[in-house]
Amino acid sequence: MNTSKSIWKQYKVILPMMSKHYIAYLIGALTLLVTISAQMINPQFIKRGVDQIYQGDFSYIELMQTSLLVVGVALFIFVSRFTWRNFIIRSANRVAAELRDKLFEHILTLDKNFYNTYKVGDVMARVNQDVDFVKLSLGWGFTLFIDAIFSGVFVVGILIWQYPGSYVWMTPMFMMGGILLMLGPWVRKRFRIIQKSYSRICSESQEIFSGIRVIKSFSLENYMHSHFQHAIQGYMDNNLKLVRIWGMMTPLGTFIIGCTTLIVLLLAGQGIIEGSLTPGDISAIFIYISLLTFPVMNANMTINLLQKGAASLDRINEILDKQSEIKEDENPIKIINKGDISIRNLSFAYNKNDSAKDKEQILVLNDISLDVPIGKNIGILGKVGSGKTTLVNLLVRAINTPEKSIFIDGVDINRFDLDTLRINVILVNQLPFLFSDTIINNLKFGVDDASEEQIRNVSLTSAIAQDLPMFPNAMETRIGEKGTALSGGQKQRLALARGLLVNPKILILDDSFSSLDSRTEKSILSRLLNHRKYKTNIIISHKIATLEKCDEIIVLEHGKLSQKGSHEELISQKGLYQYIYSLQQDSPL
Ligand code: ADP
């Protein structure tokens, strides 16, 4: 059947994880089977007891024996039920932990494209709530499913074997089972919609809380609140659509059990009158029906759990199927000897849309060629949108670099091991990300074994050292989420110190001084160029004063390299550099 096939497809993905715990699942399933079988024995003892009492030919010892057997079976069921729960639910927790870990590890490998497409809140919803639904389905869903199937088969088998006409009064229950199976795909579809709206709630709350300072400074609390209420309303409406139909299922189950009881009462009463059934038979039939009540009443919950698990797995698999466009070479080169960069006819275009079908692209870099031997300081100037950030992102492979377009020491940068590339080429952004930790831990991020002298040197070069006396615990001061306790300039200097500490062959500063005053910037720059004398520095800036000390400056216009030369050469040429220079002479920044 189509339903089971597609559910199977989703669950197949986690079979390798489940198979690691197959012994626990097997023991759990076997004890569950034993529990169900034990439940089938008791009605037989009760039947015997009732018939003994009814016929009056019993001794109290015999009755006591029968009662003790009933209690003994109940005790056995108690122990075996505890055992299967322990094995199955524990295994479900372990599989869920592994799935969460796998998902997390995979998400860390994905590139910027993924993070541009999926919102953080959505990803968090999948890592948290969706994995929880999978856990529920592998634990309780799996258990209820086995319980329903085997209880159903055993009870129906025993009843038809002992009372051949009983299929007549079991028809309503079969119909109920059919209805539930037919509703399965509908539940999964609805549940996917519910999870999508839950992701929206997570994304909105994540965005609102991370932008809370902006929201407060623009007094937009009410606006954002009503925005969020929309998301909650959507989530609630989607849930209600599921509840509307699904809420009917348990009452329908009760009604069907009621109808079955009524039919049994009529037919069994007739059997007693005709002498084909004893009161003990009727007691046993009612107990068997009561044993079916639990699986029938819970059949909707079983289908619900399994379908929700399948929908959640579908969402998880969607992420696991994503692959980073930035691929590691099969035999990557793990060393960069010198650090000479050469860019050859580099052109780059972004996809206009995230959709895989829409292949339309926007050309951002057009036929760039440039050589940057190690030890050179290169400046990059260009208007907003001219492609500066894209160019340096390609140099660190933060985005997928076209083949045979950027080389280091004559080797295509796609051939280098990513870790090697990332410790040799460091990019410091204009808006650096800082962790909610101490200054020193942010500074030493990735260089745990840095010596005190190295830390002192980079703190002095980046001028973060001069601010330390202002902080209550100097280097040990905690800087709050994303460094909220620091000014924009302090954040930039801390990020610069962090980049300097790695001591890369190539350091790229993408407008990294934009929040600094001109004097501080100038002094940092001269210390930096001195500190990194025989290494390469690539500096993006819109301030001529920042760029003028560079050995060579390139000017980007609409993705094309329009000018190249020293400061002196460029101010004497007609072009954007000279124009910006003249503007900044009149009004120095
Ligand atoms: P600059 O750093 O010079 O301001 P960028 O390299 O950031 O320029 O951007 C160059 C162009 O590429 C801009 O038009 C920008 O809108 C576009 N762009 C940047 N990043 C992306 C992206 N991830 N997807 C699509 N277009 C992008």
Side-chain angles (χ1 to χ4, degrees):
M1 199 177 164
N2 187 23
T3 339
S4 52
K5 217 170 165 185
S6 40
I7 276 206
W8 167 239
K9 204 175 114 200
Q10 302 306 334
Y11 281 100
K12 208 166 77 179
V13 182
I14 48 167
L15 273 189
M17 287 178 211
M18 289 177 76
S19 66
K20 283 190 200 160
H21 306 279
Y22 78 96
I23 294 187
Y25 265 110
L26 208 65
I27 296 176
L30 284 176
T31 15
L32 180 58
L33 270 181
V34 172
T35 314
I36 296 169
S37 315
Q39 282 175 335
M40 301 299 143
I41 300 171
N42 256 352
Q44 298 298 329
F45 292 142
I46 290 170
K47 172 186 165 185
R48 194 171 89 181
V50 171
D51 281 342
Q52 280 170 341
I53 297 170
Y54 184 70
Q55 286 154 12
D57 61 348
F58 67 93
S59 69
Y60 279 104
I61 304 248
E62 274 175 346
L63 203 58
M64 187 54 83
Q65 275 173 348
T66 309
S67 307
L68 281 176
L69 280 173
V70 172
V71 173
V73 172
L75 199 67
F76 178 77
I77 291 173
F78 162 73
V79 175
S80 57
R81 189 169 276 163
F82 173 76
T83 314
W84 71 249
R85 282 189 186 195
N86 218 355
F87 277 98
I88 294 181
I89 307 295
R90 259 195 213 205
S91 307
N93 273 283
R94 290 202 177 112
V95 173
E98 203 176 318
L99 180 64
R100 189 169 275 136
D101 184 54
K102 182 177 174 174
L103 187 59
F104 188 76
E105 193 185 10
H106 182 75
I107 290 169
L108 289 183
T109 66
L110 297 174
D111 56 26
K112 279 190 170 190
N113 257 345
F114 171 79
Y115 295 100
N116 288 341
T117 316
Y118 286 82
K119 292 187 171 182
V120 176
D122 179 18
V123 176
M124 280 167 61
R126 293 175 201 234
V127 174
N128 294 321
Q129 211 196 32
D130 281 308
V131 174
D132 279 342
F133 280 120
V134 174
K135 180 175 80 184
L136 274 176
S137 75
L138 294 182
W140 288 109
F142 176 80
T143 310
L144 291 174
F145 181 68
I146 295 196
D147 193 7
I149 297 282
F150 283 98
S151 297
V153 170
F154 280 18
V155 170
V156 171
I158 291 174
L159 286 176
I160 291 186
W161 170 54
Q162 292 200 332
Y163 314 102
S166 50
Y167 65 87
V168 178
W169 43 262
M170 281 192 282
T171 315
M173 290 204 205
F174 293 139
M175 282 165 59
M176 172 86 187
I179 295 174
L180 286 169
L181 277 181
M182 280 189 317
L183 281 174
W186 177 84
V187 174
R188 181 142 42 103
K189 193 173 138 217
R190 284 253 58 93
F191 189 68
R192 259 203 83 110
I193 298 172
I194 291 175
Q195 284 306 85
K196 202 170 163 191
S197 44
Y198 179 74
S199 279
R200 190 180 153 205
I201 290 194
C202 292
S203 308
E204 298 235 337
S205 51
Q206 190 269 337
E207 258 176 29
I208 290 171
F209 294 135
S210 39
I212 193 71
R213 286 166 193 84
V214 183
I215 291 168
K216 280 189 172 291
S217 60
F218 281 84
S219 293
L220 285 175
E221 289 93 331
N222 288 339
Y223 172 75
M224 294 316 289
H225 186 193
S226 69
H227 209 68
F228 191 63
Q229 275 174 333
H230 254 102
I232 301 177
Q233 185 70 37
Y235 181 58
M236 190 180 75
D237 289 347
N238 285 327
N239 265 299
L240 288 182
K241 278 184 195 149
L242 182 67
V243 169
R244 215 167 288 152
I245 300 284
W246 213 244
M248 253 168 40
M249 290 300 140
T250 305
L252 187 63
T254 323
F255 177 68
I256 291 214
I257 296 287
C259 291
T260 309
T261 312
L262 175 75
I263 302 172
V264 172
L265 211 55
L266 291 174
L267 294 179
Q270 196 185 350
I272 291 214
I273 295 166
E274 289 169 359
S276 57
L277 292 176
T278 65
D281 286 325
I282 297 193
S283 310
I285 291 174
F286 277 121
I287 296 170
Y288 280 122
I289 290 177
S290 77
L291 287 179
L292 262 193
T293 310
F294 184 72
V296 170
M297 298 275 283
N298 283 295
N300 66 333
M301 213 212 294
T302 314
I303 305 244
N304 212 347
L305 283 175
L306 293 178
Q307 294 289 2
K308 278 180 176 179
S312 285
L313 263 177
D314 196 16
R315 281 162 50 86
I316 291 169
N317 291 336
E318 184 184 318
I319 305 261
L320 288 176
D321 286 345
K322 297 263 175 251
Q323 292 300 325
S324 173
E325 279 187 17
I326 299 161
K327 297 264 185 301
E328 188 112 63
D329 198 273
E330 279 185 12
N331 292 306
I333 298 170
K334 298 208 165 170
I335 187 156
I336 293 181
N337 285 318
K338 218 170 150 212
D340 292 336
I341 304 171
S342 50
I343 302 176
R344 290 283 163 270
N345 310 103
L346 167 68
S347 294
F348 183 81
Y350 287 109
N351 286 338
K352 206 166 188 175
N353 262 305
D354 298 327
S355 151
K357 284 181 208 140
D358 190 347
K359 296 278 179 221
E360 212 182 324
Q361 295 200 310
I362 325 162
L363 189 66
V364 174
L365 292 174
N366 191 355
D367 201 20
I368 309 266
S369 291
L370 179 73
D371 285 306
V372 185
I374 188 78
K376 278 267 154 103
N377 298 313
I378 296 289
I380 305 180
L381 180 88
K383 290 186 187 161
V384 173
S386 56
K388 305 179 294 292
T389 300
T390 305
L391 176 63
V392 293
N393 273 330
L394 289 169
L395 271 171
V396 293
R397 291 195 70 200
I399 42 183
N400 205 16
T401 312
E403 292 283 319
K404 298 193 179 108
S405 55
I406 302 182
F407 301 83
I408 296 181
D409 298 339
V411 176
D412 185 339
I413 65 163
N414 292 305
R415 301 287 82 78
F416 285 108
D417 167 65
L418 276 175
D419 288 343
T420 305
L421 188 70
R422 290 192 178 143
I423 52 167
N424 282 285
V425 190
I426 291 275
L427 170 62
V428 179
N429 290 306
Q430 180 184 13
L431 299 171
F433 186 88
L434 297 172
F435 293 92
S436 150
D437 204 331
T438 57
I439 295 184
I440 185 73
N441 284 346
N442 269 288
L443 205 163
K444 279 171 52 177
F445 189 73
V447 196
D448 287 339
D449 55 354
S451 69
E452 285 201 4
E453 194 190 343
Q454 285 171 318
I455 293 174
R456 198 172 38 251
N457 274 344
V458 298
S459 309
L460 286 171
T461 306
S462 65
I464 192 70
Q466 72 189 36
D467 290 20
L468 291 178
M470 286 186 242
F471 300 126
N473 298 313
M475 278 284 190
E476 295 299 332
T477 307
R478 297 196 78 85
I479 57 170
E481 200 177 71
K482 293 188 198 160
T484 36
L486 303 184
S487 71
Q490 285 167 338
K491 282 186 208 166
Q492 286 190 334
R493 281 178 284 146
L494 180 54
L496 175 62
R498 180 166 70 184
L500 286 172
L501 193 63
V502 180
N503 199 17
K505 287 192 161 60
I506 299 153
L507 179 70
I508 304 168
L509 305 176
D510 186 356
D511 224 353
S512 313
F513 303 126
S514 57
S515 304
L516 302 182
D517 62 84
S518 302
R519 246 186 61 210
T520 316
E521 177 178 345
K522 217 168 169 183
S523 67
I524 294 178
L525 204 60
S526 74
R527 278 199 302 271
L528 180 124
L529 297 183
N530 197 32
H531 182 101
R532 292 183 44 81
K533 218 171 215 159
Y534 303 107
K535 307 227 152 108
T536 298
N537 300 299
I538 299 178
I539 302 168
I540 297 181
S541 180
H542 59 277
K543 296 184 214 168
I544 299 291
T546 312
L547 301 173
E548 62 187 4
K549 288 222 169 64
C550 292
D551 303 309
E552 191 170 50
I553 300 151
I554 62 165
V555 180
L556 286 182
E557 285 181 83
H558 308 294
K560 275 191 164 259
L561 200 159
S562 61
Q563 289 181 282
K564 183 163 79 171
S566 67
H567 169 72
E568 285 70 27
E569 284 165 352
L570 290 177
I571 50 171
S572 59
Q573 277 176 19
K574 269 207 159 332
L576 185 69
Y577 193 89
Q578 191 191 60
Y579 173 69
I580 293 180
Y581 175 70
S582 64
L583 285 182
Q584 292 182 4
Q585 287 302 102
D586 296 341
S587 142
L589 284 166

